[in-house]
């Protein structure tokens, strides 16, 4: 639980009201939920070893608290599990998000799913003045 507290404290310390996907993975893992194998590439940092990421493809995603809908904004790319391909995807996205506060990049294993409505699930949590803690569960993804 200390990892969970530190993730939430760091976001609060930066006055953010949203976690990045990498932070959400840390929270989910701390709660005992399975998360995809992944690596975080800090801004300006080198692509880390991709050893241990299963499959031939990975997904590269922008880590920016202000970018909630990454796919629609061009903040995701499926590429070969190859450091050069990952670096190329990061370069393209870095140019696209040059004027936004980007914290880094997530490189995650490709998780197969049905490309149709209901093939992905959205899970979220927030606290509202009207209702207190609210759990959101619904159809997710771009389909």
């Amino acid at each position: 639980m200390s990892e969970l507290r530190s993730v939430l404290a760091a976001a609060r310390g930066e006055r953010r009201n949203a976690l990045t996907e990498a932070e959400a993975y840390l929270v989910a893992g701390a709660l005992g939920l399975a998360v995809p194998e992944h690596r975080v590439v800090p801004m300006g940092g080198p692509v880390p070893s991709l050893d241990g990421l299963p499959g031939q493809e990975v997904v590269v995603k922008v880590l920016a608290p202000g970018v909630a809908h990454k796919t629609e904004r061009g903040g995701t790319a499926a590429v070969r599990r190859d450091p050069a391909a990952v670096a190329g995807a990061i370069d393209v996205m870095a140019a696209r998000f040059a004027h936004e506060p980007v914290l880094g990049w997530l490189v995650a294993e490709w998780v197969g799913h049905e490309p149709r409505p209901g093939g992905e699930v959205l899970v979220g949590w927030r606290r509202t003045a009207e209702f207190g803690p609210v759990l959101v569960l619904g159809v997710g993804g771009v389909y």
Side-chain angles (χ1 to χ4, degrees):
M1 288 312 243
S2 65
E3 187 173 28
L4 175 62
R5 285 188 185 99
S6 67
V7 168
L8 297 176
R12 273 195 305 268
E14 295 175 10
R15 300 194 186 283
R16 291 191 278 127
N17 62 3
L19 299 177
T20 66
E21 189 167 345
E23 291 167 331
Y25 284 178
L26 290 172
V27 170
L31 295 173
L33 301 172
V35 297
E37 288 291 327
H38 61 281
R39 310 287 186 271
V40 173
V41 181
M43 282 298 291
V47 174
S49 170
L50 302 177
D51 293 343
L53 292 176
Q56 299 301 312
E57 283 188 311
V58 294
V59 181
V60 181
K61 299 180 181 185
V62 64
L63 292 176
V67 181
H69 301 284
K70 294 182 282 295
T71 302
E72 291 84 351
R73 298 273 314 276
T76 65
V79 300
R80 290 183 329 279
R81 187 174 49 90
D82 171 75
V86 169
I90 289 172
D91 288 345
V92 168
M93 284 188 248
R96 184 172 291 134
F97 293 97
H99 301 293
E100 299 198 40
V102 173
L103 303 177
W105 315 97
L106 180 74
V107 182
E109 75 173 288
W110 172 263
V111 177
H113 60 282
E114 290 291 324
R116 60 177 171 74
E120 297 181 65
V121 176
L122 166 71
V123 179
W125 177 85
R126 63 183 289 188
R127 181 177 299 278
T128 69
E130 301 82 11
F131 300 107
V134 176
L135 176 69
V136 177
L137 176 64
V139 176
V142 297
Y143 299 102

